[in-house]
Amino acid sequence: MKRHLVSAADLSRDDALLILDTAEELAQLSGRAVKKLPTLRGRTVVNLFFEDSTRTKTSFEVAEKRLSADVINFSAKGSSVSKGESLKDTALTLQAMGADAVVIRHHASGAAARLAGSDWLHGSVINAGDGTHEHPTQALLDAFTMRRHLNPGLGRDLAGRKIAIVGDILHSRVARSNVHLLTTLGAEVTFVAPPTLLPIGIDTWPCQVSYDLDAVLPKVDAVMMLRVQRERMNAAFFPTEREYSRRYGLDGLRLATMPEHAIVMHPGPMVRGMEITADVADSPRCTVVEQVANGVSVRMAVLYLLLGGAVFADSSADSARTTDTPEAAQ
């Protein structure tokens, strides 16, 4: 494992499988009366969120507390950031307080990499979403969910599986992280979106592109619907919501054209009636709630490997550290 988790592109196949397999073992805790491990006792983890978040922030906090870490929640609203304090000064303040890891979500693409590449912090940096760039732990929990449904078992990947990611690719950090991770695990990824919602240079990405959702659905093992991120838009990218929903929304009729084993995914938050209808969102084939539960296990695995049981691959680490396996820690 490397010292930081900034991008899904930084993960090798072995790295990704190590995280997924560790998450599989840690997921067993959720069925216990006492769900805690002492792995990170005495370690301080700061959740540094400059953007609003419900699932990711709560998921990280639950994961940290289940590993017995000391958790500090930092929100830009109501802090010195609102008075003009820079990211550097905020990071130096956290370092002075002895933070062992920082989970950062920021509206600027590259903020997590800037923090990880600086000497402002001596601990690990975990990217919880930076602008429209990446969201690696979301990609990991998506891959974890897909593997459980499509190729269950420790050490297994997603080789040969066909995954469609549909919607606002242009503004989606989830799509960017997923295309890196899923192709690393052997999956075949297809982006489906109107031309205006595809980024420039997408022909160089390791994926196929289609503008026709109906032609793609009968061939997929999983389809991931993305929300249209209006808060990041400064122009009209499609004529009307009704037309977008008609061309790129997933309804019951389209669900019926998918193979019986295929699943429907969504990183959340969902906009029912736009990219996905209520009957599909509430269908047994929709894994949205399962993804949230899996997110806790995956983030526990990332924290465990970075802080509790990792041997750092980069020379910037002060020293290599090892601990017992998750089974022994239990």
Side-chain angles (χ1 to χ4, degrees):
M1 287 292 295
K2 295 181 172 61
R3 185 180 178 185
H4 311 289
L5 179 58
V6 172
S7 167
D10 295 336
L11 297 173
S12 66
R13 179 181 179 277
D14 290 342
D15 290 334
L17 290 179
L18 175 62
I19 295 172
L20 298 184
D21 290 348
T22 304
E24 196 69 60
E25 295 166 1
L26 291 170
Q28 299 171 16
L29 288 174
S30 61
R32 297 185 177 186
V34 178
K35 299 178 175 64
K36 280 204 170 189
L37 291 176
T39 311
L40 299 186
R41 184 177 295 157
R43 301 295 185 93
T44 301
V45 182
V46 179
N47 295 320
L48 182 61
F49 277 64
F50 292 84
E51 280 187 331
D52 295 337
S53 172
T54 300
R55 288 159 205 75
T56 303
K57 187 174 183 179
T58 304
S59 181
F60 266 111
E61 185 174 356
V62 171
E64 291 151 7
K65 289 182 175 179
R66 286 190 180 176
L67 292 172
S68 303
D70 297 322
V71 180
I72 299 174
N73 288 314
F74 178 100
S75 176
K77 295 177 182 177
S79 72
S80 294
V81 173
S82 62
K83 302 175 184 177
E85 184 175 67
S86 67
L87 177 62
K88 177 179 180 178
D89 290 326
T90 300
L92 290 172
T93 299
L94 298 177
Q95 175 57 36
M97 294 178 180
D100 295 294
V102 171
V103 178
I104 179 171
R105 167 167 286 192
H106 202 281
H107 50 79
S109 298
R114 182 72 181 94
L115 201 59
S118 71
D119 59 356
W120 307 335
L121 286 171
H122 299 162
S124 296
V125 174
I126 301 172
N127 184 4
D130 59 329
T132 60
H133 179 225
E134 283 219 38
H135 193 351
T137 59
Q138 179 68 45
L140 284 164
L141 74 89
D142 291 338
F144 182 86
T145 304
M146 291 178 198
R147 188 174 77 163
R148 278 194 154 185
H149 283 270
L150 304 176
N151 192 22
L154 297 179
R156 296 187 177 183
D157 58 17
L158 296 171
R161 300 298 181 179
K162 294 179 171 58
I163 315 298
I165 301 178
V166 184
D168 186 1
I169 309 294
L170 177 64
H171 302 99
S172 176
R173 54 194 173 207
V174 173
R176 285 167 172 80
S177 286
N178 263 295
V179 73
H180 289 309
L181 183 64
L182 294 177
T183 52
T184 297
L185 292 173
E188 301 172 16
V189 179
T190 301
F191 284 156
V192 184
T196 53
L197 290 178
L198 290 169
I200 295 172
I202 197 168
D203 54 314
T204 64
W205 292 22
C207 63
Q208 296 181 336
V209 177
S210 174
Y211 308 123
D212 187 351
L213 179 59
D214 293 317
V216 171
L217 288 179
K219 308 171 187 175
V220 300
D221 297 297
V223 59
M224 182 182 301
M225 307 305 297
L226 300 176
R227 177 177 65 90
V228 174
Q229 299 187 40
R230 292 195 174 278
E231 69 275 13
R232 302 188 191 277
M233 294 182 177
N234 55 10
F237 289 84
F238 47 85
T240 64
E241 291 185 7
R242 183 176 180 181
E243 179 170 336
Y244 176 87
S245 182
R246 182 174 62 83
R247 291 286 303 276
Y248 297 100
L250 185 62
D251 56 17
L253 293 176
R254 284 188 166 129
L255 179 65
T257 68
M258 293 169 57
E260 290 186 7
H261 70 275
I263 58 173
V264 177
M265 307 180 71
H266 198 302
M270 291 188 293
V271 181
R272 294 179 182 234
M274 182 115 178
E275 74 270 9
I276 189 169
T277 60
D279 59 325
V280 175
D282 296 330
S283 164
R285 298 172 70 179
C286 184
T287 64
V288 174
V289 176
E290 183 183 344
Q291 287 171 259
V292 175
N294 292 341
V296 175
S297 301
V298 166
R299 287 166 178 135
M300 285 178 70
V302 170
L303 290 161
Y304 171 83
L305 291 168
L306 288 180
L307 295 177
V311 175
F312 290 145
D314 61 351
S315 58
S316 61
D318 296 331
S319 61
R321 296 170 293 174
T322 58
T323 64
D324 297 332
T325 62
E327 297 98 316
Q330 295 176 40

